[in-house]
Amino acid sequence: MTNQDDYFLREAIRLAREGMTTGQGGPFGSIVVRNGEIVGRGCNQVTSTNDPTAHAEVVAIRDACRNLGTFQLDDCTLYASCEPCPMCLGAIYWARPSRIVYGAFHSDAAGAGFDDQFIYEELDKPREERHIPMHQLLRDEADAVFQEWVAMEKRTLY
């Protein structure tokens, strides 16, 4: 960890406060940094955009990918004002930054009413015991699309 990490994490925290006080959403902020330069910014925009996926990390990843013209951030660091939730962590892993630096723990967010513990618990349950019912159908038809993907000569792997 470096002083530069402190600087960039403070910017993510500033975005969290700004987004919260301007009515964009909850108290979460995130930035993506590449070679010492901020290439993506985001604050939580769930309530202002009516988009449950508009968490700060996802917004910052989308901004960085758009700005860099890529769908992977393997040479970047993601800074988040709070430990990423399960959805954001999934998005972060898909984006493949080289590392994550965060401020508050997810337990701190839970203390403020943002409790995602139920999601962690749901993921550990068998599909048939989850709160939202899941039904599997048409596997052969759906899998055929994967087989077509595998056979494609010109495809972009990720």
Side-chain angles (χ1 to χ4, degrees):
M1 304 310 276
T2 67
N3 288 340
Q4 194 173 41
D5 286 332
D6 290 349
Y7 172 80
F8 288 125
L9 186 54
R10 284 190 176 102
E11 176 61 12
I13 293 167
R14 187 194 69 73
L15 284 172
R17 183 174 287 113
E18 179 182 293
M20 173 186 71
T21 59
T22 59
Q24 294 182 65
F28 302 92
S30 182
I31 62 170
V32 177
V33 174
R34 180 180 180 195
N35 297 325
E37 179 185 344
I38 297 173
V39 295
R41 297 173 184 272
C43 64
N44 183 288
Q45 298 175 1
V46 169
T47 57
S48 63
T49 62
N50 293 318
D51 179 354
T53 68
H55 288 201
E57 297 91 334
V58 173
V59 172
I61 288 168
R62 289 174 180 163
D63 189 43
C65 289
R66 192 171 32 253
N67 291 333
L68 296 173
T70 184
F71 55 85
Q72 293 192 329
L73 304 172
D74 52 356
D75 54 350
C76 299
T77 299
L78 183 134
Y79 293 86
S81 62
C82 184
E83 181 179 7
C85 76
M87 178 188 71
C88 292
L89 196 56
I92 291 165
Y93 271 86
W94 279 115
R96 294 177 173 83
S98 58
R99 64 191 188 113
I100 304 165
V101 178
Y102 64 90
F105 287 110
H106 73 270
S107 57
D108 299 322
F114 298 94
D115 192 359
D116 54 13
Q117 185 59 38
F118 77 97
I119 299 172
Y120 292 103
E121 292 168 4
E122 284 287 299
L123 292 172
D124 283 339
K125 292 179 183 177
R127 290 181 191 95
E128 61 276 1
E129 293 179 21
R130 292 181 181 160
H131 179 74
I132 299 175
M134 297 179 70
H135 305 282
Q136 188 277 320
L137 297 170
L138 304 175
R139 181 178 181 193
D140 292 341
E141 292 177 37
D143 185 53
V145 179
F146 289 124
Q147 300 316 310
E148 292 171 30
W149 167 260
V150 170
M152 283 179 61
E153 289 183 27
K154 293 185 177 183
R155 66 179 190 257
T156 303
L157 298 177
Y158 61 98

